[in-house]
Amino acid sequence: MSVDEQGDQLQDIEDLRRLLFGAGQSRDRLGARATAPAASRSPREPEHFCRRLLEQMREGSVELAADGAILHCNRQFREMIGRPAAQLIGDSVFDHVAPDQAERFAAFFAAPEAASREFELRRADGSLLPVSIELGAPAETARPRLAIVTDLAQTKWMERSFAATEALREREKWSRLAVAAGRVGTFDADFVTGANRFSVTMHEILGLAPDQTLGFAEAGAMLLDADKKDFERKFLEACAGAKNGEWSHEMRIRRMDGALRWIALAGQIEFRRSARGVVATRATGAAIDVTDRREIEDSLRRSNERLRLALAAGAIGCWEYDVAAGVTDADPKYREIFGLSAELSVTFEVVCALVHPDDVAEMRASAHRALAGRDEGRYQAEYRIRRMNDGAERWIASHARGLLENGRVVRLIGVATDITEKKTTERELREKARLADQLAGIAASVPGLIASYRLAPDGTASMPYASPNVEDIYGIDAESLRRGVEGKFARVHPEDLPRVLASIAESARALTVWRESYRYDHPRKGFIWVEAQSRPTREADGGTLWHGYLQDVTERKRIEQALVDKEARLYATVEGAHDAILTVDEKGAIQSLNSAAVRMFGYAKAEAIGAHVETLVPVHLFGGRKACVDAGFFEGPETLGNVVETQGRRKDGGLFPVDLAVSEASYHGRRLYIAFVRDLTERRKIEARMQKLHAERLDAVGELAAGLAHELNQPLSATAIYLKAARRLLQMPVDQRPANVEDALDNAATQIVRAGQIIAHLREFISRGEPDKTLQNLHDIVDEAHELVIVEAKQSNINVVFRLDAADDRILADRVQIKQVLVNLMRNARDAMGAAQTRKMTISTSLAGRSMIRLDVADTGAGLSEEARASLFEPFATTKPNGLGVGLTIARSIVDAHYGKIWAGPNSDGGATFSFTLPLAAMEEEE
């Protein structure tokens, strides 16, 4: 109910109260029309009737004394406060107003005129109830003041329509009561004499003074022109005998005091027969002022029209459920929302069948609570439906209010709204809020800075947004940057600032992505490198707004510079190397080569890059084994990490010998091979000259053989003579022994030394010669060498174990020299185990790739120190107390002469292993 309607209601009740008290006097003045003498009625009967009427009101009513004491209150007010009448009667109404509103209520209560205000009343449970209080004007007598209290907490937009209907009913009821109480004016018009008689009430209705009379002309002049014609038509028809002379009409009049009022007239025409026939002679009737009713009707029509327009604009469907009949009356919009045809009878079960299974239980429960009268019959639910006509899923919000009779809900009147778009929007907003929270968390956790940069049309710049770690990048708080960025640009390195400003201007002009790196003077860190990237958008006012990311890249810049320096040094090293260096991918394609490779092979870099490595190293030999590039380049264990000899091919097609060493590297998940190629052409020429020289020296061996026998025979014969002479002299008695015995021994020693020198010179000469290679079986040579040391091994309690596992043991070798190497290694192993508790010698063979055979001699002796291993094969280096240090040197010379390799290493369980490799005969034959 609106404030205006509440004011009208309050005024009507006050008027009704006055009318009821003055009803007796009105009847006396009506004279003969009064049906009962005034003295026959109790003077308090109208007041009791009014009390009963107030008790039945939907609003709370309170009769208040001049000091605010509660004299009477109806049931609705008691329910609002939550207290019985016994606790309220006699209390001051000020005690029930919210404490913070007591002063305002006191001023409201003391006002000399009627007024309406909104306050909060304290309920019995301590809660505050918002209400609207309509307070009548103070009476001049001691009569109490009437206050109408309306509960605003339960007022909703739909209730305004219900309240308007109720107000109309109340107005009609009050009108009936007014008629019964004498608020009806009566009139008697004599057509013959022209005399008119009006009751007191009629005078009041017409705005006439009590003693003022009114003729037909004056009465007709009071009618509005728009209503006069219709009134005259109906009146003349009644005078002509229509409807037996009964007539009624509602019209507007302009009273004598100028007020515009609506009057309802009802009367009877009296007829008399004359010579002219039946003529109208008299009109009697009653009149009532229906201005209030017509205003309420107009207000209701306007309210209904506004409601209709609101429902149409808001896509709201209306429905009404008759509880007794179980039938729902739905308007076309409701049927459209649910996809129901116009012919389908709508029932509660039909609607429930469309509701989503997950929502139907709650929807039914809400409806049952409303039908049970809980919450004053209010119904509210949100649920999903599957529309009947197209099967589309929609979200529906439904609200209703129950009409109660005798405490039971007889009818539910409500509305339904399609809120699918609202739900979608809410879901999107929740998702955006969630994403905003995630972005805020990301912005706070990323090492860089997420920020916005705005360039206004007037050229001023600011940073509207910056993530929390802005001070880590700029050392300036976000609020300062929002006001302006002059302080930031003041710290940009002077050499970088023009470039940065120019790039920002170009990005703003062309709306291109802005990317820049610059040096920044951080207040705490000193100069740092900042890298930024952002995307611009043009704003409505012509400004430009960038959103982007900035980060401190000082460490990355330092690493990049270090990599540049390292790359420069590496480039200088590679370019300055005398050996060719190639980079080859997994497919054998050349990726890069240095200047030495260009000189060695004769190809320019542009020609070689991308070509297959077979162009430079065609069908090549790795240690005597033929390998195909397409079968897997550089994959053999004898290739990676080792130096192998093969052939290279120059641009002119010429082949030349090279040493090839290959290492493997990983680059972006791919394998790369780095090949180091050394040109052996000059070395081979030198070796050829040395071999030729050595052969010439060997030819001289035959010439020196006779001289050698003679040279050796002489010191040896002299040594024998000296020793025999010394023996005989020593056998003589001491007193007869000559004094030159020691001289004889010294001479013998001198001759022996001379013989040793002769042998050493010859060995040195012969060791530089080429061995006499023939096809041999390495395992047979092992057996022969073992026969030479088996007696010494048994005497030393050494267990000799053979593991000759090589499938192919054929070699091209000098049998005597290889046997000499084996005997030397076996005797070294025997000597190494002289003090060992466990004495075990293991001799094993195996294939080393496809082109080499490997032989190992392992012992369980004391092993080799790092110092001993470093000089093990050097001349005159030995680990034995009485060793000369020439055995291993000779062995290495022999193995090298057979194009093999010899080395030594420790065993995992103690001792040492001496190993050497020799080319297989099959590989050498192919070469």
Side-chain angles (χ1 to χ4, degrees):
M1 181 181 295
S2 68
V3 174
D4 293 340
E5 292 170 348
Q6 290 178 352
D8 293 343
Q9 179 179 344
L10 179 64
Q11 185 63 43
D12 289 342
I13 293 174
E14 290 287 353
D15 294 342
L16 180 60
R17 184 196 301 273
R18 289 194 297 271
L19 287 172
L20 290 173
F21 282 116
Q25 298 174 5
S26 298
R27 289 190 180 91
D28 290 342
R29 285 193 295 269
L30 289 175
R33 295 184 181 275
T35 58
S40 66
R41 294 185 180 272
S42 171
R44 294 187 58 85
E45 181 179 350
E47 182 176 357
H48 291 164
F49 182 79
C50 186
R51 286 276 178 85
R52 289 195 301 272
L53 179 62
L54 294 175
E55 189 68 27
Q56 296 174 1
M57 288 179 61
R58 297 176 58 189
E59 290 78 13
S61 65
V62 186
E63 294 183 16
L64 301 173
D67 59 354
I70 299 176
L71 301 178
H72 181 269
C73 58
N74 68 350
R75 176 183 57 82
Q76 184 68 18
F77 182 78
R78 295 194 295 272
E79 291 179 356
M80 288 182 187
I81 303 300
R83 298 181 186 274
Q87 295 182 4
L88 293 173
I89 302 301
D91 273 1
S92 175
V93 71
F94 295 94
D95 297 336
H96 299 282
V97 179
D100 60 341
Q101 301 177 8
E103 184 176 350
R104 188 166 64 91
F105 183 79
F108 166 70
F109 188 78
E113 68 279 348
S116 173
R117 296 287 187 276
E118 292 185 4
F119 296 95
E120 290 183 337
L121 299 182
R122 288 192 301 177
R123 295 172 54 88
D125 58 3
S127 61
L128 296 178
L129 177 69
V131 297
S132 174
I133 300 179
E134 296 287 339
L135 187 63
E140 296 178 358
T141 64
R143 288 193 299 113
R145 297 179 70 179
L146 182 64
I148 302 299
V149 182
T150 303
D151 183 355
L152 298 181
Q154 300 177 0
T155 301
K156 295 188 177 181
W157 68 270
M158 188 176 66
E159 294 176 6
R160 290 196 295 270
S161 177
F162 300 152
T165 303
E166 291 296 324
L168 181 59
R169 294 175 181 174
E170 291 294 328
R171 293 289 184 183
E172 293 174 351
K173 181 168 61 176
W174 295 334
S175 298
R176 290 193 298 270
L177 291 174
V179 172
R183 285 293 294 171
V184 177
T186 61
F187 62 89
D188 183 357
D190 190 337
F191 299 156
V192 177
T193 64
N196 296 326
R197 292 191 301 272
F198 298 130
S199 67
V200 175
T201 305
M202 192 67 184
H203 277 76
E204 295 176 357
I205 293 174
L206 297 177
L208 301 175
D211 57 349
Q212 187 177 0
T213 60
L214 194 68
F216 287 110
E218 292 86 353
M222 296 177 67
L223 271 64
L224 293 186
D225 293 339
D227 298 341
K228 184 181 297 186
K229 184 177 181 180
D230 193 26
F231 168 75
E232 291 176 349
R233 180 183 58 80
K234 288 186 178 182
F235 185 77
L236 293 176
E237 287 177 355
C239 292
K243 298 182 180 179
N244 297 322
E246 294 182 358
W247 58 276
S248 63
H249 187 63
E250 289 188 3
M251 57 188 179
R252 289 168 291 178
I253 66 170
R254 181 73 66 181
R255 296 198 316 183
M256 292 300 181
D257 58 4
L260 184 65
R261 309 295 292 178
W262 274 95
I263 304 298
L265 295 175
Q268 177 69 50
I269 303 296
E270 295 181 5
F271 298 95
R272 186 178 63 181
R273 290 184 180 275
S274 66
R276 292 179 300 173
V278 178
V279 294
T281 61
R282 190 183 188 91
T284 60
I288 187 171
D289 189 334
V290 295
T291 304
D292 292 345
R293 193 203 71 194
R294 292 299 296 250
E295 290 178 352
I296 291 174
E297 289 176 351
D298 290 343
S299 176
L300 180 59
R301 280 193 295 271
R302 290 193 300 270
S303 177
N304 288 337
E305 180 62 19
R306 288 194 297 269
L307 177 60
R308 186 189 65 79
L309 293 175
L311 294 176
I316 300 173
C318 298
W319 57 274
E320 184 174 344
Y321 176 62
D322 189 331
V323 178
V327 176
T328 300
D329 183 18
D331 68 356
K333 191 63 181 181
Y334 182 92
R335 292 177 179 273
E336 177 186 343
I337 292 173
F338 283 81
L340 305 174
S341 63
E343 300 81 14
L344 180 65
S345 177
V346 182
T347 64
F348 183 69
E349 294 302 325
V350 169
V351 175
C352 288
L354 302 177
V355 179
H356 194 282
D358 294 342
D359 302 337
V360 68
E362 180 62 27
M363 180 260 199
R364 285 181 178 273
S366 299
H368 291 160
R369 284 194 297 269
L371 292 174
R374 299 179 186 176
D375 298 330
E376 297 185 355
R378 287 183 174 84
Y379 165 72
Q380 181 175 345
E382 289 186 0
Y383 47 86
R384 290 163 291 177
I385 66 166
R386 185 72 68 179
R387 281 200 307 213
M388 180 174 288
N389 57 352
D390 57 8
E393 183 177 281
R394 310 294 292 178
W395 271 97
I396 304 299
S398 187
H399 302 268
R401 175 73 180 271
L403 297 181
L404 286 78
E405 291 184 3
N406 300 323
R408 298 181 60 184
V409 176
V410 297
R411 189 176 297 273
L412 278 178
I413 301 176
V415 294
T417 309
D418 188 334
I419 59 171
T420 305
E421 286 73 17
K422 174 187 173 185
K423 286 288 186 180
T424 303
T425 303
E426 290 175 352
R427 183 170 61 252
E428 292 176 351
L429 290 176
R430 287 194 299 270
E431 180 65 19
K432 289 180 179 179
R434 185 184 66 81
L435 291 176
D437 292 340
Q438 290 180 351
L439 290 176
I442 293 172
S445 60
V446 295
L449 169 66
I450 297 176
S452 298
Y453 178 85
R454 186 176 188 275
L455 185 62
D458 60 1
T460 58
S462 63
M463 293 181 66
Y465 170 77
S467 57
N469 48 357
V470 59
E471 293 195 32
D472 292 340
I473 301 298
Y474 285 130
I476 304 175
D477 61 274
E479 182 60 31
S480 299
L481 292 172
R482 273 193 289 271
R483 292 193 297 266
V485 294
E486 294 80 4
K488 184 195 80 168
F489 283 121
R491 291 184 170 273
V492 177
H493 196 284
E495 296 179 0
D496 300 338
L497 182 59
R499 186 185 74 254
V500 172
L501 296 177
S503 62
I504 292 175
E506 177 60 24
S507 177
R509 186 193 65 79
L511 290 182
T512 55
V513 176
W514 179 70
R515 296 184 181 91
E516 195 60 76
S517 296
Y518 54 89
R519 289 163 290 180
Y520 180 81
D521 188 7
H522 195 280
R524 297 189 305 274
K525 304 177 184 178
F527 273 104
I528 63 173
W529 274 96
V530 176
E531 183 178 74
Q533 176 174 322
S534 59
R535 182 178 295 276
T537 56
R538 191 78 71 203
E539 295 187 312
D541 62 354
T544 307
L545 182 65
W546 286 264
H547 300 287
Y549 176 76
L550 302 91
Q551 60 178 332
D552 184 347
V553 295
T554 307
E555 182 63 18
R556 195 190 74 191
K557 286 286 187 179
R558 185 190 63 79
I559 295 174
E560 288 177 353
Q561 186 60 44
L563 289 175
V564 169
D565 296 342
K566 183 178 180 180
E567 184 177 356
R569 291 193 297 270
L570 179 60
Y571 179 80
T573 302
V574 171
E575 286 297 310
H578 294 290
D579 295 339
I581 301 176
L582 310 175
T583 304
V584 184
D585 65 10
E586 294 175 309
K587 297 181 179 179
I590 299 173
Q591 303 297 307
S592 66
L593 67 164
N594 65 348
S595 299
V598 173
R599 293 191 299 269
M600 183 180 297
F601 294 100
Y603 288 94
K605 288 187 177 182
E607 296 175 317
I609 292 176
H612 202 277
V613 70
E614 190 177 1
T615 305
L616 307 183
V617 185
V619 178
H620 50 284
L621 296 175
F622 295 151
R625 176 177 64 86
K626 184 177 181 180
C628 177
V629 173
D630 293 335
F633 188 63
F634 302 145
E635 292 186 354
E638 75 284 359
T639 305
L640 289 176
N642 296 323
V643 178
V644 295
E645 186 176 335
T646 181
Q647 288 184 325
R649 180 169 61 190
R650 293 189 175 89
K651 185 176 181 179
D652 58 6
L655 298 177
F656 60 98
V658 296
D659 270 347
L660 177 65
V662 181
S663 63
E664 181 181 355
S666 178
Y667 181 74
H668 293 301
R670 299 183 297 113
R671 288 194 303 173
L672 287 179
Y673 299 97
I674 294 85
F676 300 88
V677 184
R678 175 169 294 176
D679 190 345
L680 299 180
T681 303
E682 293 300 324
R683 182 190 296 182
R684 290 291 178 263
K685 292 179 180 179
I686 294 173
E687 289 178 352
R689 289 196 298 269
M690 293 299 295
Q691 289 175 359
K692 180 179 179 181
L693 179 61
H694 193 61
E696 293 175 353
R697 296 177 65 185
L698 286 177
D699 292 339
V701 171
E703 300 176 0
L704 295 176
L708 176 62
H710 176 72
E711 291 294 332
L712 289 177
N713 185 52
Q714 287 182 352
L716 292 179
S717 299
T719 299
I721 294 173
Y722 287 136
L723 291 177
K724 289 180 180 179
R727 182 175 183 178
R728 285 196 298 268
L729 292 175
L730 290 174
Q731 290 176 350
M732 296 174 62
V734 177
D735 54 348
Q736 299 177 5
R737 184 181 307 163
N740 58 354
V741 175
E742 294 180 359
D743 294 336
L745 294 175
D746 291 338
N747 292 332
T750 300
Q751 294 300 320
I752 292 174
V753 170
R754 179 187 173 198
Q757 291 175 346
I758 294 173
I759 294 173
H761 293 164
L762 181 62
R763 178 182 58 79
E764 181 180 359
F765 177 79
I766 296 176
S767 64
R768 300 181 183 274
E770 183 72 12
D772 185 14
K773 296 181 182 179
T774 57
L775 184 62
Q776 303 291 335
N777 291 93
L778 183 58
H779 291 169
D780 294 340
I781 300 175
V782 172
D783 292 337
E784 293 176 6
H786 176 250
E787 292 295 331
L788 296 177
V789 299
I790 187 171
V791 175
E792 300 171 357
K794 289 182 178 180
Q795 291 176 352
S796 301
N797 295 321
I798 295 175
N799 179 25
V800 181
V801 178
F802 292 91
R803 293 177 180 169
L804 308 178
D805 299 329
D808 187 1
D809 67 332
R810 296 173 300 160
I811 60 175
L812 290 176
D814 188 320
R815 188 180 190 89
V816 174
Q817 289 185 0
I818 298 302
K819 188 191 299 182
Q820 180 181 351
V821 172
L822 286 171
V823 170
N824 185 279
L825 295 180
M826 291 178 184
R827 285 177 175 169
N828 286 347
R830 178 203 64 189
D831 296 339
M833 294 185 289
Q837 295 181 353
T838 301
R839 301 178 180 180
K840 179 180 177 182
M841 183 191 304
T842 303
I843 303 172
S844 60
T845 62
S846 62
L847 293 179
R850 295 177 54 192
S851 61
M852 307 290 282
I853 186 171
R854 171 175 172 171
L855 186 141
D856 300 304
V857 179
D859 61 62
T860 57
L864 297 171
S865 64
E866 290 294 329
E867 181 180 359
R869 288 176 58 190
S871 60
L872 196 59
F873 296 98
E874 297 295 330
F876 309 111
T878 180
T879 59
K880 294 183 288 186
N882 300 319
L884 297 177
V886 296
L888 290 178
T889 304
I890 295 174
R892 186 183 66 175
S893 300
I894 294 173
V895 172
D896 289 345
H898 283 76
Y899 302 102
K901 182 179 179 182
I902 186 170
W903 69 93
N907 294 333
S908 59
D909 54 352
T913 299
F914 284 78
S915 306
F916 65 90
T917 58
L918 295 173
L920 291 172
M923 294 297 103
E924 292 194 357
E925 288 172 359
E926 284 185 18
E927 186 178 9

